[in-house]
Structures are given as structure tokens and as C-alpha cells.
Amino acid sequence: TESIVSFIQLADIIRISEVKLNRHLISFNGKFSKGIPSKNTVSKVLNLLDEGKYLYGKKYHIKIKKNIPQKSGMGGGSMNAATILNFFLKKKIIKLNEAKNFANEIGSDVILGLSNRSKILYCDNSLKKLNKKIRFNLVLVKPKFGCSTKKIYSKVKKYSKKKKFNFQKMNNKKIFIKYILEQNNELQSIVEEEHPSIKILLK
């Protein structure tokens, strides 16, 4: 199993400021901010940094405007964590190898956000960055429900046979689209069974 990962022009907006308090503050606002638990990907980043004493007792207020819906499969929470790691990486508070280790502790897809280059995530969690750019127009549809990643993965009974991504297919946009449509997606079929309206939308 492998995933082609690409970034689009939709993102949460994050503001980070140092505060003179005895604890970190994490606040969410925006259309998709309701119901986010106190223990989330951002709090995990701060906890790991505190445990490793990387922040030397400094505390931060992290304010996030949620433009990416929860449980939409677009990795909003993971990319929030990656953005915070990148912030401390640029401040030279942590090093790249430490950022990668933290990313893997928080979630398997957090590491994808440490750079905004398109890439392939292989089943062994290794990454390959893609240099070729193919531009697409996208239509995003968000139904009034979400899908739990953990729940969907738990219902996968068998993964299809592993295939190597054919990079030559990326040289032609039409051939590339056809190639993608021919690939199997075990998660998609489970989501379609759970929510038939998704199947109608995709068709």
C-alpha cells in the first residue's frame, strides 16, 4: 500500500506567541473548531518538547483557525502538528532528526507536513519526494459527517498486493489520471459501505 500525497491551497491558520504563564494555551476557532479534544496533536507536540526540556520552561499560546474539517481525511490535525514542529525547527529549538522522531511519535502522517513537496508514502513509512509537478483543479465536497481514520483502518481485512508507483506515468497528465483511477483503495470501499452517499458523490 502506498499513498500519493500532495498539498492544496487550503490550510488552517496558526498563530504562535510566547506567553508569561505557567502553562501552554491552545485555542481553536473557525467553522470547524467544535469538538476538538484537549488532548490533540498540537498538545502532543508541546508535551514532547516539555518532556525533553527543549523549551527551557517557556510557554506558548497557539491559536488555530480551523479551515480544514475534522474527520475529512485531509490530515488537518497532523499538518497542525507538523507546522508547530517546523516553527520550532526554524527557531533552532529542535533539529531535523528530532522533528522527524517527534512526528513519528505523534502520528504516521505528521512527517508528511515537514515539507510541502508532493511525495509518496510507502507502507514501510519511507518517503520519496516527487520533483515532477502536475497541476489539477480540485473540487472538495464535505458531507455533514466525518469518518474516523482509526475505525476505517480497523475494518480493512486484507490489503491488495503491493505495487511500485510508475513515475513514467507522471509525464502525461491524462495517462497519470487513468493510472490513478485504476489503483485499488481499500479504505475508500469501506467508507462507501459505511456511507453510501460518498459513493454517489464520487460517481
Side-chain angles (χ1 to χ4, degrees):
T1 57
E2 56 191 31
S3 300
I4 299 172
V5 180
S6 189
F7 290 84
I8 62 174
Q9 291 177 326
L10 174 68
D12 294 339
I13 297 172
I14 302 177
R15 299 185 186 278
I16 304 172
S17 57
E18 192 176 330
V19 290
K20 292 182 179 180
L21 297 172
N22 59 4
R23 64 186 180 89
H24 299 293
L25 294 177
I26 304 171
S27 57
F28 295 90
N29 61 73
K31 186 176 180 180
F32 303 109
S33 60
K34 291 182 179 179
I36 297 175
S38 57
K39 290 184 179 180
N40 51 67
T41 56
V42 176
S43 67
K44 286 179 181 178
V45 171
L46 295 174
N47 287 340
L48 287 170
L49 292 173
D50 281 339
E51 287 171 9
K53 298 182 179 179
Y54 288 92
L55 302 180
Y56 296 99
K58 291 181 180 179
K59 302 301 176 184
Y60 291 86
H61 181 193
I62 298 179
K63 191 174 182 179
I64 301 173
K65 182 180 180 182
K66 287 295 296 175
N67 295 322
I68 298 177
Q70 298 177 63
K71 295 184 178 180
S72 63
M74 291 193 287
S78 295
M79 294 308 99
N80 289 163
T83 300
I84 306 301
L85 287 171
N86 275 329
F87 171 81
F88 289 114
L89 188 58
K90 288 177 182 177
K91 291 285 185 182
K92 297 184 178 180
I93 291 172
I94 57 175
K95 296 177 182 178
L96 181 58
N97 64 319
E98 293 168 332
K100 288 179 178 179
N101 289 336
F102 289 142
N104 289 328
E105 282 193 58
I106 297 161
S108 60
D109 57 349
V110 175
I111 198 167
L112 299 173
L114 294 183
S115 76
N116 60 3
R117 292 264 298 277
S118 295
K119 52 188 75 74
I120 294 178
L121 175 64
Y122 293 103
C123 57
D124 61 358
N125 281 337
S126 62
L127 294 172
K128 182 176 179 62
K129 292 180 181 178
L130 302 178
N131 294 318
K132 176 76 175 179
K133 287 185 178 180
I134 295 183
R135 298 190 180 278
F136 292 94
N137 293 314
L138 300 175
V139 177
L140 292 179
V141 180
K142 174 63 177 79
K144 292 182 179 179
F145 56 82
C147 296
S148 164
T149 301
K150 185 177 180 180
K151 180 181 177 182
I152 298 303
Y153 267 100
S154 70
K155 294 196 173 188
V156 178
K157 294 178 181 177
K158 185 180 180 182
Y159 287 104
S160 56
K161 190 176 179 180
K162 183 180 176 182
K163 296 178 183 178
K164 271 291 182 183
F165 179 74
N166 189 335
F167 288 92
Q168 295 301 316
K169 301 291 185 183
M170 291 191 70
N171 293 326
N172 182 290
K173 191 170 182 177
K174 287 185 178 179
I175 294 174
F176 178 61
I177 293 172
K178 184 175 183 292
Y179 174 77
I180 294 299
L181 292 174
E182 288 172 350
Q183 305 312 301
N184 292 326
N185 186 333
E186 285 84 0
L187 303 183
Q188 181 178 316
S189 58
I190 293 169
V191 171
E192 287 177 355
E193 190 174 329
E194 290 274 316
H195 304 283
S197 58
I198 292 289
K199 189 172 185 177
I200 295 168
L201 284 170
L202 288 170
K203 282 187 177 181

